[in-house]
Amino acid sequence: DFARGEVSEPLEDADINGIIARLSETTGRRSEPLKLTLGNLPPVRIHRKALTRAIVNLLENARKYGADPITLKTRADGDEIQIDILDRGPGIPQSEVERLKRPFTRLESARTDATGTGLGLAIVERIARLHKGSLELIGREGGGLIARLKIPSGN
């Protein structure tokens, strides 16, 4: 359903930081715990399961392709909320970013040891759009990646 972009769950008011805090308890890394930096966020109307799936997909990608430390940050920026997942892995070449948001695509380096379907980022992109938001993949200074999920706070 997520791959097709179909979400039948209703919108509900939610505390995104609360969702992330619960996720961090169940999805922490064994080698190094997930670092949280949670900003002051207003309640937001979201499709809870869909947004949770998007965050989990980004965390799984950071664990699979990135390197420690992995940090999850939230912040309100004007009329939108940003959820950033930062890692210190090899990152993604800027020329590949848009292609990797399409279904069934991976970087060449990820294909040799791939176990997934290549749908993770495509699903996150669709969930972001479902919330009238966006997904950005930004190279980090010093190496690594910032996966930034942006959603309007008044969506």
Side-chain angles (χ1 to χ4, degrees):
D1 288 345
F2 284 119
R4 288 190 299 270
E6 297 172 11
V7 176
S8 58
E9 70 174 312
L11 284 167
E12 62 179 277
D13 290 328
D15 171 15
I16 290 179
N17 284 338
I19 292 168
I20 288 169
R22 283 186 293 284
L23 277 177
S24 72
E25 294 170 5
T26 60
T27 62
R29 292 182 73 128
R30 291 184 191 142
S31 62
E32 187 173 330
L34 178 66
K35 295 180 181 184
L36 297 180
T37 305
L38 304 178
N40 188 18
L41 302 180
V44 179
R45 291 190 59 75
I46 61 169
H47 299 279
R48 181 184 297 269
K49 288 180 186 174
L51 191 65
T52 300
R53 173 81 269 164
I55 296 166
V56 167
N57 282 6
L58 293 174
L59 286 171
E60 287 175 354
N61 278 355
R63 287 189 190 103
K64 191 183 236 183
Y65 304 114
D68 288 332
I70 295 175
T71 303
L72 195 154
K73 295 181 179 184
T74 63
R75 71 183 184 113
D77 185 17
D79 290 341
E80 68 184 10
I81 289 174
Q82 293 183 4
I83 302 166
D84 289 354
I85 296 162
L86 303 91
D87 70 63
R88 285 292 179 191
I92 296 172
Q94 194 60 38
S95 62
E96 293 288 309
V97 167
E98 290 307 313
R99 184 183 73 80
L100 290 174
K101 292 180 187 179
R102 294 194 306 255
F104 308 110
T105 57
R106 298 188 196 139
L107 280 177
E108 280 301 319
S109 59
R111 289 183 184 169
T112 56
D113 196 24
T115 56
T117 60
L119 285 172
L121 291 176
I123 290 170
V124 174
E125 173 81 3
R126 287 186 180 159
I127 292 170
R129 281 191 261 134
L130 173 70
H131 289 91
K132 298 179 179 78
S134 63
L135 169 65
E136 297 175 354
L137 302 172
I138 307 159
R140 281 183 83 183
E141 191 167 319
L145 185 73
I146 301 170
R148 177 170 290 152
L149 186 58
K150 296 164 82 170
I151 59 171
S153 55
N155 66 353

XYZ file of all heavy atoms in Angstrom, residues 1 29 37 60 72 84 99 124-125 136:
87
model
N 0.818 -1.200 0.000
C 0.000 0.000 0.000
C 0.855 1.255 0.000
O 0.569 2.208 -0.709
C -0.940 0.014 1.203
C -2.062 -0.986 1.075
O -2.301 -1.487 -0.042
O -2.710 -1.270 2.096
N 20.406 1.364 17.748
C 21.511 0.532 17.268
C 22.138 -0.195 18.441
O 22.200 0.322 19.537
C 22.570 1.399 16.602
C 22.101 2.015 15.318
C 23.224 2.807 14.735
N 24.207 1.888 14.204
C 24.693 1.937 12.991
N 24.316 2.871 12.186
N 25.574 1.066 12.581
N 17.974 14.921 19.283
C 17.963 16.344 19.584
C 16.589 16.839 19.144
O 16.370 17.098 17.962
C 19.080 17.096 18.822
O 20.332 16.494 19.120
C 19.101 18.562 19.205
N 16.440 3.106 9.012
C 16.989 1.845 8.486
C 18.051 2.114 7.417
O 19.085 1.447 7.381
C 15.870 0.967 7.925
C 15.012 0.352 9.004
C 13.820 -0.421 8.466
O 13.567 -0.413 7.233
O 13.120 -1.040 9.288
N 19.072 11.937 15.229
C 17.758 12.343 14.740
C 17.432 13.668 15.423
O 17.454 13.759 16.646
C 16.709 11.280 15.064
C 15.402 11.416 14.299
C 14.723 10.083 14.166
C 14.484 12.436 14.891
N 15.301 15.551 10.749
C 16.589 15.255 10.130
C 17.173 13.982 10.712
O 17.211 13.818 11.936
C 17.600 16.376 10.377
C 17.310 17.653 9.614
O 16.381 17.663 8.792
O 18.034 18.638 9.850
N 17.165 10.472 -8.649
C 16.984 9.117 -9.172
C 16.689 8.136 -8.039
O 15.841 7.244 -8.174
C 18.236 8.665 -9.944
C 18.079 7.297 -10.614
C 19.354 6.846 -11.310
N 20.395 6.446 -10.372
C 20.448 5.255 -9.768
N 19.535 4.353 -9.999
N 21.426 4.974 -8.931
N 9.244 7.054 1.315
C 9.383 8.261 2.130
C 8.964 9.491 1.329
O 8.244 10.360 1.832
C 10.820 8.412 2.668
C 10.987 9.738 3.395
C 11.182 7.249 3.585
N 9.398 9.551 0.074
C 9.032 10.684 -0.793
C 7.512 10.778 -0.946
O 6.927 11.866 -0.852
C 9.697 10.507 -2.163
C 9.273 11.501 -3.200
C 9.975 12.839 -3.103
O 10.853 13.011 -2.251
O 9.619 13.726 -3.899
N 14.445 15.757 1.413
C 15.710 16.250 0.878
C 16.822 15.327 1.347
O 16.807 14.858 2.493
C 16.007 17.673 1.390
C 14.998 18.697 0.954
C 15.264 20.072 1.571
O 16.170 20.190 2.434
O 14.569 21.015 1.187
